[in-house]
Amino acid sequence: MAHKHLHAPAWLLLAATLLLACLPARAADPNSAATLRERHAELAPQLDRSPFQRPLTLDSSETSSQLQGSIDAVVSQPFALMREQLQQPGAWCEILMLHLNTKQCIANGNALGVHIGRKHDQPLSEAYRVAFTLKLNDVSADYLDVRLGAETGPFSTRDYRIQLQAIPLADGSKTFLHLRYAYGYGFAAKLAMQGYLATLGAGKVGFTKTGSSHIGGLRGAIERNTMRYYLAIDTFLASPGAQQRTLRLERWFAATEQYAKQLHEVERADYLTMKQNEFRRLLGSG
């Protein structure tokens, strides 16, 4: 008569096999070239039918303690150029300086000292200094993952994160990128932001449609700034280097005016004058 009990090694092997069979499949690494390629394939129909008049999709979210905006887009610049340029802290300073609210950016190694202020000329002493750190999370022949982070920001905001992931498309002459911009906030910061939106920011909207109108409030604000940062990256890649600053300022302003309902804040001449003054001040600080 055959023995009905399994020997210990056989029993352990059977138990391990059953346990592995019951475990869920391991989730794909969200920060990898393969995952980004899957994302591009999934979003391809939306990119082709984008209401932004360029292959771009935009999303946002709001919780009780964090705001987040994200953009997926196909850009006409080669992946090799993006990989080369966006590893450099100085390039990120050039990108951030295009934004209306960035008054100064100085790179020191992987540290970026960024001053944030109003959308008009102001003394640097009245701006808020935010200390960003650049981290190259992954750089390879077919994938780029670069991140900017700051632990604290203006009005008790915190945990600022800018993440850019990119892969080459076709022969590498174009690039698919995923841009994520997020920060956390507490009660005091939320009150400050709501106060702004109820006064100077009243009537400002984002890009997401809600019925016949566009979303406003905090999500509208994060969408506007995510788009500004995306346009700054795209503009910089089309005209990299400090020697092309004037051309870059012109192109960034023109790009934002394509979405004037959301992004128009100042007139072209005022923007150019303000930024030229800020760059002169930056040269003087060096």
Side-chain angles (χ1 to χ4, degrees):
M1 181 178 176
H3 201 290
K4 294 183 179 180
H5 298 287
L6 294 173
H7 293 295
W11 180 86
L12 289 173
L13 179 60
L14 177 59
T17 302
L18 291 173
L19 178 61
L20 289 173
C22 294
L23 289 175
R26 184 179 179 183
D29 182 359
N31 301 309
S32 69
T35 300
L36 203 56
R37 283 193 292 269
E38 291 175 3
R39 186 176 183 87
H40 173 252
E42 178 184 342
L43 292 175
Q46 296 178 49
L47 293 168
D48 290 340
R49 300 191 305 269
S50 173
F52 295 99
Q53 306 304 310
R54 61 174 75 203
L56 180 150
T57 68
L58 183 149
D59 195 14
S60 64
S61 63
E62 175 187 355
T63 70
S64 60
S65 61
Q66 187 190 61
L67 285 167
Q68 176 175 299
S70 66
I71 281 177
D72 293 276
V74 175
V75 298
S76 299
Q77 306 307 320
F79 174 78
L81 173 68
M82 180 178 290
R83 183 184 59 199
E84 174 192 354
Q85 291 290 331
L86 298 190
Q87 295 185 55
Q88 304 174 27
W92 281 99
C93 270
E94 294 289 336
I95 289 166
L96 295 176
M97 282 295 294
L98 293 172
H99 196 295
L100 288 157
N101 294 110
T102 304
K103 306 287 102 179
Q104 187 180 77
C105 180
I106 297 177
N108 182 12
N110 284 341
L112 279 67
V114 182
H115 280 78
I116 306 295
R118 297 194 301 265
K119 297 179 177 69
H120 305 279
D121 261 325
Q122 69 178 136
L124 201 60
S125 59
E126 296 179 5
Y128 296 89
R129 187 179 187 280
V130 183
F132 280 94
T133 300
L134 176 67
K135 178 183 178 183
L136 303 178
N137 198 58
D138 197 337
V139 180
S140 67
D142 64 350
Y143 183 58
L144 175 68
D145 183 346
V146 58
R147 307 178 187 194
L148 283 173
E151 295 307 312
T152 59
F155 299 106
S156 301
T157 52
R158 60 180 184 271
D159 197 26
Y160 278 77
R161 297 289 180 264
I162 299 175
Q163 179 184 17
L164 183 137
Q165 300 166 274
I167 54 171
L169 293 181
D171 58 355
S173 61
K174 293 185 178 182
T175 306
F176 174 66
L177 66 81
H178 174 69
L179 174 67
R180 175 179 173 267
Y181 170 54
Y183 62 87
Y185 59 88
F187 182 70
K190 186 172 185 177
L191 285 180
M193 289 187 288
Q194 289 177 337
Y196 166 76
L197 293 171
T199 54
L200 296 176
K204 295 182 182 297
V205 296
F207 294 90
T208 299
K209 292 290 282 292
T210 56
S212 59
S213 60
H214 291 86
I215 196 167
L218 298 179
R219 276 187 62 192
I222 195 75
E223 289 187 359
R224 292 193 297 274
N225 277 324
T226 303
M227 179 64 87
R228 288 187 176 109
Y229 285 129
Y230 163 75
L231 293 175
I233 292 168
D234 190 39
T235 301
F236 174 80
L237 292 173
S239 48
Q243 71 277 9
Q244 299 196 64
R245 282 174 177 167
T246 300
L247 175 61
R248 201 155 55 237
L249 292 171
E250 294 269 10
R251 287 179 170 176
W252 185 85
F253 186 84
T256 63
E257 287 296 287
Q258 295 175 13
Y259 314 104
K261 179 181 181 68
Q262 289 83 10
L263 302 184
H264 181 80
E265 295 284 352
V266 299
E267 298 305 315
R268 173 182 171 277
D270 294 332
Y271 170 75
L272 294 176
T273 298
M274 176 181 69
K275 285 297 168 183
Q276 288 161 355
N277 289 339
E278 290 168 359
F279 276 118
R280 278 195 291 269
R281 180 170 60 195
L282 184 62
L283 290 173
S285 68

mmCIF file of all heavy atoms in Angstrom, residues 47 50-57 74 227 230-231 234 255 258-259:
data_model
loop_
_atom_site.group_PDB
_atom_site.id
_atom_site.type_symbol
_atom_site.label_atom_id
_atom_site.label_comp_id
_atom_site.label_asym_id
_atom_site.label_seq_id
_atom_site.Cartn_x
_atom_site.Cartn_y
_atom_site.Cartn_z
ATOM 1 N N LEU A 47 -3.386 61.441 -27.966
ATOM 2 C CA LEU A 47 -2.367 62.365 -28.458
ATOM 3 C C LEU A 47 -2.684 62.808 -29.882
ATOM 4 O O LEU A 47 -2.496 63.976 -30.240
ATOM 5 C CB LEU A 47 -0.989 61.703 -28.399
ATOM 6 C CG LEU A 47 -0.443 61.413 -26.996
ATOM 7 C CD1 LEU A 47 0.773 60.493 -27.088
ATOM 8 C CD2 LEU A 47 -0.090 62.699 -26.273
ATOM 9 N N SER A 50 -5.627 65.448 -29.783
ATOM 10 C CA SER A 50 -5.473 66.389 -28.680
ATOM 11 C C SER A 50 -6.129 67.742 -28.979
ATOM 12 O O SER A 50 -5.944 68.315 -30.061
ATOM 13 C CB SER A 50 -3.993 66.615 -28.385
ATOM 14 O OG SER A 50 -3.834 67.634 -27.426
ATOM 15 N N PRO A 51 -6.882 68.288 -28.020
ATOM 16 C CA PRO A 51 -7.473 69.620 -28.199
ATOM 17 C C PRO A 51 -6.450 70.750 -28.057
ATOM 18 O O PRO A 51 -6.775 71.910 -28.279
ATOM 19 C CB PRO A 51 -8.511 69.688 -27.073
ATOM 20 C CG PRO A 51 -7.959 68.789 -26.011
ATOM 21 C CD PRO A 51 -7.285 67.671 -26.741
ATOM 22 N N PHE A 52 -5.219 70.411 -27.712
ATOM 23 C CA PHE A 52 -4.183 71.425 -27.501
ATOM 24 C C PHE A 52 -3.465 71.822 -28.799
ATOM 25 O O PHE A 52 -2.509 72.592 -28.752
ATOM 26 C CB PHE A 52 -3.161 70.916 -26.484
ATOM 27 C CG PHE A 52 -3.724 70.721 -25.112
ATOM 28 C CD1 PHE A 52 -4.110 69.449 -24.674
ATOM 29 C CD2 PHE A 52 -3.899 71.793 -24.253
ATOM 30 C CE1 PHE A 52 -4.639 69.263 -23.406
ATOM 31 C CE2 PHE A 52 -4.428 71.615 -22.981
ATOM 32 C CZ PHE A 52 -4.805 70.350 -22.553
ATOM 33 N N GLN A 53 -3.888 71.281 -29.918
ATOM 34 C CA GLN A 53 -3.253 71.560 -31.211
ATOM 35 C C GLN A 53 -1.797 71.106 -31.242
ATOM 36 O O GLN A 53 -0.980 71.621 -32.003
ATOM 37 C CB GLN A 53 -3.343 73.059 -31.548
ATOM 38 C CG GLN A 53 -4.739 73.631 -31.508
ATOM 39 C CD GLN A 53 -5.709 72.872 -32.425
ATOM 40 O OE1 GLN A 53 -5.405 72.641 -33.588
ATOM 41 N NE2 GLN A 53 -6.869 72.497 -31.901
ATOM 42 N N ARG A 54 -1.484 70.148 -30.417
ATOM 43 C CA ARG A 54 -0.173 69.494 -30.395
ATOM 44 C C ARG A 54 -0.385 68.166 -29.697
ATOM 45 O O ARG A 54 -1.348 68.025 -28.923
ATOM 46 C CB ARG A 54 0.875 70.354 -29.684
ATOM 47 C CG ARG A 54 0.564 70.648 -28.229
ATOM 48 C CD ARG A 54 1.727 71.374 -27.554
ATOM 49 N NE ARG A 54 1.807 72.765 -27.941
ATOM 50 C CZ ARG A 54 2.910 73.500 -27.881
ATOM 51 N NH1 ARG A 54 4.038 72.936 -27.458
ATOM 52 N NH2 ARG A 54 2.906 74.770 -28.228
ATOM 53 N N PRO A 55 0.459 67.164 -29.916
ATOM 54 C CA PRO A 55 0.250 65.843 -29.293
ATOM 55 C C PRO A 55 0.542 65.890 -27.794
ATOM 56 O O PRO A 55 1.669 65.647 -27.355
ATOM 57 C CB PRO A 55 1.228 64.930 -30.049
ATOM 58 C CG PRO A 55 2.281 65.853 -30.570
ATOM 59 C CD PRO A 55 1.598 67.152 -30.860
ATOM 60 N N LEU A 56 -0.489 66.191 -27.023
ATOM 61 C CA LEU A 56 -0.324 66.439 -25.587
ATOM 62 C C LEU A 56 -1.599 66.093 -24.853
ATOM 63 O O LEU A 56 -2.704 66.370 -25.329
ATOM 64 C CB LEU A 56 0.045 67.903 -25.376
ATOM 65 C CG LEU A 56 0.279 68.429 -23.960
ATOM 66 C CD1 LEU A 56 1.307 69.571 -24.001
ATOM 67 C CD2 LEU A 56 -1.004 68.930 -23.305
ATOM 68 N N THR A 57 -1.459 65.472 -23.687
ATOM 69 C CA THR A 57 -2.573 65.272 -22.777
ATOM 70 C C THR A 57 -2.182 65.832 -21.414
ATOM 71 O O THR A 57 -0.998 65.840 -21.050
ATOM 72 C CB THR A 57 -2.944 63.785 -22.612
ATOM 73 O OG1 THR A 57 -1.879 63.101 -21.927
ATOM 74 C CG2 THR A 57 -3.183 63.122 -23.961
ATOM 75 N N VAL A 74 4.387 64.309 -27.099
ATOM 76 C CA VAL A 74 5.417 63.998 -28.084
ATOM 77 C C VAL A 74 6.031 65.323 -28.505
ATOM 78 O O VAL A 74 5.322 66.244 -28.922
ATOM 79 C CB VAL A 74 4.829 63.282 -29.310
ATOM 80 C CG1 VAL A 74 5.905 63.090 -30.383
ATOM 81 C CG2 VAL A 74 4.240 61.939 -28.913
ATOM 82 N N MET A 227 1.524 73.268 -17.267
ATOM 83 C CA MET A 227 1.644 73.618 -18.679
ATOM 84 C C MET A 227 2.774 74.609 -18.903
ATOM 85 O O MET A 227 3.550 74.487 -19.874
ATOM 86 C CB MET A 227 0.329 74.204 -19.191
ATOM 87 C CG MET A 227 0.365 74.622 -20.660
ATOM 88 S SD MET A 227 0.636 73.231 -21.803
ATOM 89 C CE MET A 227 -1.068 72.703 -22.040
ATOM 90 N N TYR A 230 5.980 72.665 -18.832
ATOM 91 C CA TYR A 230 6.126 71.861 -20.048
ATOM 92 C C TYR A 230 6.563 72.733 -21.221
ATOM 93 O O TYR A 230 7.497 72.383 -21.973
ATOM 94 C CB TYR A 230 4.825 71.144 -20.406
ATOM 95 C CG TYR A 230 4.846 70.667 -21.834
ATOM 96 C CD1 TYR A 230 5.602 69.557 -22.198
ATOM 97 C CD2 TYR A 230 4.186 71.381 -22.840
ATOM 98 C CE1 TYR A 230 5.684 69.154 -23.523
ATOM 99 C CE2 TYR A 230 4.258 70.983 -24.159
ATOM 100 C CZ TYR A 230 5.004 69.872 -24.500
ATOM 101 O OH TYR A 230 5.108 69.485 -25.804
ATOM 102 N N LEU A 231 5.900 73.873 -21.412
ATOM 103 C CA LEU A 231 6.253 74.759 -22.520
ATOM 104 C C LEU A 231 7.675 75.292 -22.368
ATOM 105 O O LEU A 231 8.372 75.513 -23.359
ATOM 106 C CB LEU A 231 5.252 75.917 -22.599
ATOM 107 C CG LEU A 231 3.821 75.531 -22.984
ATOM 108 C CD1 LEU A 231 2.905 76.745 -22.902
ATOM 109 C CD2 LEU A 231 3.771 74.910 -24.381
ATOM 110 N N ASP A 234 9.962 72.412 -23.555
ATOM 111 C CA ASP A 234 9.875 72.296 -25.011
ATOM 112 C C ASP A 234 10.602 73.451 -25.691
ATOM 113 O O ASP A 234 11.340 73.256 -26.670
ATOM 114 C CB ASP A 234 8.406 72.266 -25.423
ATOM 115 C CG ASP A 234 8.212 71.905 -26.888
ATOM 116 O OD1 ASP A 234 8.945 71.031 -27.380
ATOM 117 O OD2 ASP A 234 7.333 72.510 -27.532
ATOM 118 N N ALA A 255 4.262 80.743 -27.078
ATOM 119 C CA ALA A 255 3.631 79.442 -26.817
ATOM 120 C C ALA A 255 2.545 79.573 -25.755
ATOM 121 O O ALA A 255 1.476 78.973 -25.884
ATOM 122 C CB ALA A 255 4.686 78.432 -26.373
ATOM 123 N N GLN A 258 -0.844 80.854 -26.936
ATOM 124 C CA GLN A 258 -1.746 79.925 -27.617
ATOM 125 C C GLN A 258 -2.857 79.462 -26.674
ATOM 126 O O GLN A 258 -3.900 78.995 -27.125
ATOM 127 C CB GLN A 258 -0.952 78.714 -28.120
ATOM 128 C CG GLN A 258 0.074 79.039 -29.188
ATOM 129 C CD GLN A 258 0.911 77.834 -29.562
ATOM 130 O OE1 GLN A 258 0.592 76.690 -29.204
ATOM 131 N NE2 GLN A 258 1.991 78.064 -30.288
ATOM 132 N N TYR A 259 -2.619 79.589 -25.384
ATOM 133 C CA TYR A 259 -3.597 79.203 -24.364
ATOM 134 C C TYR A 259 -3.856 80.411 -23.464
ATOM 135 O O TYR A 259 -3.782 80.338 -22.234
ATOM 136 C CB TYR A 259 -3.067 78.016 -23.553
ATOM 137 C CG TYR A 259 -2.471 76.931 -24.420
ATOM 138 C CD1 TYR A 259 -1.086 76.776 -24.528
ATOM 139 C CD2 TYR A 259 -3.283 76.081 -25.172
ATOM 140 C CE1 TYR A 259 -0.535 75.807 -25.339
ATOM 141 C CE2 TYR A 259 -2.736 75.108 -25.982
ATOM 142 C CZ TYR A 259 -1.364 74.975 -26.070
ATOM 143 O OH TYR A 259 -0.812 74.009 -26.885
#
